[in-house]
Amino acid sequence: VFKLVRHFTGLQSLLATLKQAYQELGLLMVLVWVIVLTISSLIYFAEKDGLKKWTFMESLWWGLMTLTTVGNGAVAPSTLAGKSVGCLCALMGVFTLALPVPIVVTSFSSIYKNRVWKNEVMMKKQGRMEKNKKEGLTMTQLDRSSTIATGSLTRTV
């Protein structure tokens, strides 16, 4: 699979974007884990007096699912405080995970355009070299003819 990456400009651009933005993405992961732990603690204590006693691992799983998706529906808070924490968690998840998207997209777009431009230049250069080979001219002959035509040929004695 990794050998295929060198043939696709989009995949190369994606990997280059991830290499360029690894610090920001790492900081985002730390922020997500801090939020999950905070929300899990809040929901654990909010649901302490609820219908069903939650373990901390259940509240941690619920916090992760609610922050990164819209939850799985298996476990839901029953108290008003728990429902408020759930609403806060869902909103924080949307805002937190949406923040880095424009940064990564802008970086990907510029890297992709640069790679496409480099590929076009390389293809044009190969086309000119193939055309010159068909005509029987080498690069040294082309260099001599261009310097003679411009009059910049210098003689060495």
Side-chain angles (χ1 to χ4, degrees):
V1 174
F2 293 112
K3 290 183 179 181
L4 291 174
V5 171
R6 64 179 155 199
H7 300 293
F8 296 105
T9 306
L11 290 175
Q12 290 173 350
S13 301
L14 180 63
L15 290 177
T17 301
L18 292 176
K19 284 180 186 176
Q20 183 179 354
Y22 77 94
Q23 290 178 333
E24 290 86 0
L25 294 174
L27 184 62
L28 175 69
M29 290 300 127
V30 169
L31 179 65
V32 165
W33 277 110
V34 167
I35 293 172
V36 166
L37 287 173
T38 304
I39 292 294
S40 298
S41 298
L42 289 174
I43 198 72
Y44 177 75
F45 289 114
E47 291 297 310
K48 185 170 48 172
D49 299 328
L51 298 174
K52 179 182 178 274
K53 298 282 186 191
W54 288 22
T55 64
F56 188 75
M57 289 308 293
E58 287 175 336
S59 64
L60 187 70
W61 179 250
W62 178 88
L64 181 65
M65 288 298 110
T66 306
L67 187 71
T68 57
T69 62
V70 292
N72 60 1
V75 180
S78 59
T79 63
L80 180 63
K83 291 177 183 180
S84 300
V85 170
C87 180
L88 177 71
C89 180
L91 288 175
M92 286 179 67
V94 168
F95 294 136
T96 303
L97 297 177
L99 283 175
V101 170
I103 297 167
V104 173
V105 168
T106 303
S107 176
F108 175 80
S109 177
S110 65
I111 289 172
Y112 182 76
K113 285 179 185 177
N114 191 15
R115 287 189 184 271
V116 167
W117 178 78
K118 283 181 180 179
N119 285 343
E120 287 176 3
V121 168
M122 185 180 67
M123 294 299 286
K124 286 180 183 178
K125 186 176 180 180
Q126 286 177 349
R128 282 193 306 249
M129 289 176 68
E130 288 176 7
K131 181 182 172 186
N132 291 337
K133 277 185 181 180
K134 287 180 184 176
E135 293 175 1
L137 297 174
T138 62
M139 289 305 288
T140 56
Q141 289 173 337
L142 286 174
D143 289 340
R144 278 192 220 134
S145 65
S146 66
T147 53
I148 291 171
T150 59
S152 61
L153 184 64
T154 58
R155 291 185 177 181
T156 56
V157 181

